[in-house]
């Protein structure tokens, strides 16, 4: 089968052996696969002599075969992949054997994937395969950050630095569903305008002095995935007693901050990574209830993998990038 994989620390497109569904697994013919920033980092995390590893964590497709003991799915079912492996029940932290699909297991940038039936959910009926291929890492991460960790309630004000990422575009819509006022930031005027179109109430520039332009706002929750570049600025606009939730660092990982200012303000910082299956299903129910659709920036063929990954690395997109694999 055709696949985009890492070998000798290089990403390539080639032919690999098609997997089979063993006991408890399903074989999914992939129609579309969503890209995530982790696809840029995985190649550097593998040993040079590691076996070929297929990239990709998100996908939508059709059940091609079912393994022994699988009763909840049948051939022909339209499904999506839950990339949060073996984390089924709500907990403060994931279980010890938790992994994200595509490291160390083969991922979704291929014509087929064999995966535990426990990691598969019915495709939301209101979404196309391209749209459904984004329903994985980004919305699950955003849902846990907003709901489980941020405890966002109607009337809260949520600030999301970095308006154009796939997870940010989901969070804008999810936060509005929760009844929150949503403020976003971006250097790009285009991204700020697009964020307003999908529900943001206010979009400010990263070049603004945030404490000045937000002086009349009472920000209850900040969801910051940018990292060092925005971390202190985010704390600076968060209200006394407010909560900052962080799940990423697209800029540098290490950030210094003033402990005394932080503890006098009685603020809370929470970390989060992805989410469990119960949160995934709650998120899916919310998407279907409000017919929320992901924002798709561009689609690519697998053959254009280099163009797609380079575009992702430049971080110029507004919304999600998707490979169209099969038709």
């Amino acid at each position: 089968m055709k696949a985009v994989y890492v070998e000798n620390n290089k990403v390539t497109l080639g032919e690999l052996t098609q997997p089979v569904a063993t006991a408890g697994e399903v074989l999914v013919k992939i129609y579309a696969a969503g890209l995530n920033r982790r696809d840029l980092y995985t190649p550097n995390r593998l040993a040079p002599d590691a076996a070929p590893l297929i990239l990709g964590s998100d996908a939508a497709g059709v059940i091609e075969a079912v393994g022994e003991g699988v009763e909840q799915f049948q051939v022909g079912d339209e499904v999506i992949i839950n990339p949060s492996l073996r984390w089924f029940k709500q907990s403060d932290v994931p279980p010890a054997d938790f992994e994200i699909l595509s490291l160390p297991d083969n991922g979704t940038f291929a014509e087929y994937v064999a995966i535990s039936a426990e990691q598969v959910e019915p495709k939301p009926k209101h979404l196309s395969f391209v749209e459904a291929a984004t329903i994985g890492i980004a919305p699950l991460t955003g849902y846990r950050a907003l709901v489980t960790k941020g405890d966002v309630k109607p009337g809260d004000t949520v600030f999301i630095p970095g308006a154009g990422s796939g997870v940010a575009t989901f969070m804008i819509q999810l936060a509005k569903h929760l009844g929150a006022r949503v403020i976003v930031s971006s250097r790009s005027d285009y991204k700020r305008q697009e964020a307003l179109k999908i529900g943001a109430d206010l979009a400010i520039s990263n070049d603004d002095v945030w404490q000045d332009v937000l002086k009349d706002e009472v920000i209850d929750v900040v969801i910051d995935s940018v990292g060092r570049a925005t971390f202190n600025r985010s704390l600076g606009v968060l209200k006394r007693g407010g909560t900052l939730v962080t799940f990423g660092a697209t800029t540098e990982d290490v950030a210094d901050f003033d402990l005394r200012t932080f503890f006098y303000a009685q603020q809370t910082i929470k970390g989060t990574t992805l989410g469990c299956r119960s949160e995934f299903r709650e998120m899916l129910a919310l998407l279907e209830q409000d017919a929320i659709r992901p924002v798709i920036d561009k689609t690519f063929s697998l053959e254009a993998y280099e163009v797609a990954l380079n575009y992702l690395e430049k971080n110029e997109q507004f919304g999600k990038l998707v490979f169209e694999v099969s038709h």
Side-chain angles (χ1 to χ4, degrees):
M1 68 173 182
K2 186 165 56 179
V4 174
Y5 57 92
V6 182
E7 188 171 27
N8 299 320
N9 294 127
K10 293 183 179 180
V11 182
T12 188
L13 173 71
E15 291 288 329
L16 295 178
T17 302
Q18 181 177 312
V20 297
T22 59
E25 292 185 333
V26 293
L27 179 68
V28 179
K29 181 178 182 179
I30 296 174
Y31 279 40
L35 284 78
N36 294 281
R37 293 200 68 82
R38 77 186 310 266
D39 301 316
L40 300 174
Y41 310 141
T42 298
N44 296 325
R45 298 176 61 188
L46 297 174
D49 59 349
L53 178 76
I54 300 172
L55 293 174
S57 302
D58 299 340
V62 174
I63 300 288
E64 184 90 351
V66 297
E68 181 183 353
V70 175
E71 298 180 353
Q72 65 268 49
F73 294 104
Q74 59 186 9
V75 173
D77 285 349
E78 298 181 351
V79 296
I80 59 174
I81 304 296
N82 173 4
S84 184
L85 302 182
R86 295 175 292 277
W87 188 5
F88 301 122
K89 297 181 179 179
Q90 180 61 263
S91 56
D92 290 337
V93 295
D97 60 349
F98 163 77
E99 297 282 358
I100 301 173
L101 182 63
S102 80
L103 186 66
D105 300 324
N106 278 319
T108 59
F109 292 172
E111 293 179 299
Y112 295 91
V113 64
I115 191 168
S116 168
E118 299 293 337
Q119 301 295 149
V120 173
E121 299 291 338
K123 181 180 79 67
K125 291 183 173 58
H126 71 290
L127 299 181
S128 68
F129 281 106
V130 166
E131 291 171 323
T134 72
I135 308 303
I137 284 180
L140 178 55
T141 298
Y143 182 87
R144 182 172 173 86
L146 286 166
V147 177
T148 306
K149 296 288 189 171
D151 191 27
V152 172
K153 300 177 291 297
D156 283 352
T157 295
V158 178
F159 179 42
I160 305 170
S165 71
V167 66
T169 56
F170 275 109
M171 288 195 297
I172 291 167
Q173 297 179 82
L174 293 175
K176 291 304 294 181
H177 169 87
L178 296 170
R181 173 173 169 79
V182 178
I183 303 171
V184 300
S185 78
S186 176
R187 284 193 179 86
S188 165
D189 179 65
Y190 165 73
K191 292 182 181 181
R192 295 196 298 271
Q193 295 305 314
E194 292 298 306
L196 294 171
K197 291 178 184 178
I198 63 170
D201 297 285
L202 177 64
I204 66 174
S205 173
N206 285 349
D207 296 326
D208 291 334
V209 179
W210 289 356
Q211 286 178 300
D212 289 344
V213 297
L214 299 177
K215 65 180 185 300
D216 295 325
E217 300 284 350
V218 178
I219 296 174
D220 302 280
V221 180
V222 176
I223 312 291
D224 191 320
S225 63
V226 179
R228 182 173 181 173
T230 58
F231 188 80
N232 278 291
R233 301 177 76 191
S234 293
L235 281 178
V237 299
L238 181 64
K239 77 174 187 181
R240 291 167 59 84
T243 299
L244 185 150
V245 181
T246 178
F247 58 79
T250 53
T251 58
E252 295 179 60
D253 292 352
V254 178
D256 298 324
F257 67 102
D258 187 328
L259 281 171
R260 190 170 302 277
T261 299
F262 170 71
F263 64 68
Y264 271 122
Q266 305 268 338
Q267 294 168 326
T268 299
I269 299 173
K270 295 183 178 181
T272 187
T273 299
L274 216 55
C276 66
R277 184 172 64 184
S278 63
E279 290 167 313
F280 193 80
R281 289 174 173 174
E282 289 166 9
M283 176 269 296
L284 287 175
L286 189 156
L287 294 182
E288 294 198 270
Q289 175 185 323
D290 276 15
I292 293 173
R293 293 182 178 276
V295 178
I296 309 296
D297 185 277
K298 289 183 186 295
T299 63
F300 303 86
S301 66
L302 283 181
E303 286 78 7
Y305 73 95
E306 291 179 299
V307 176
L309 292 172
N310 287 336
Y311 187 69
L312 178 64
E313 189 165 23
K314 290 178 181 177
N315 203 30
E316 294 178 351
Q317 76 277 8
F318 184 82
K320 294 292 292 182
L321 308 178
V322 179
F323 284 124
E324 294 190 76
V325 181
S326 303
H327 301 282

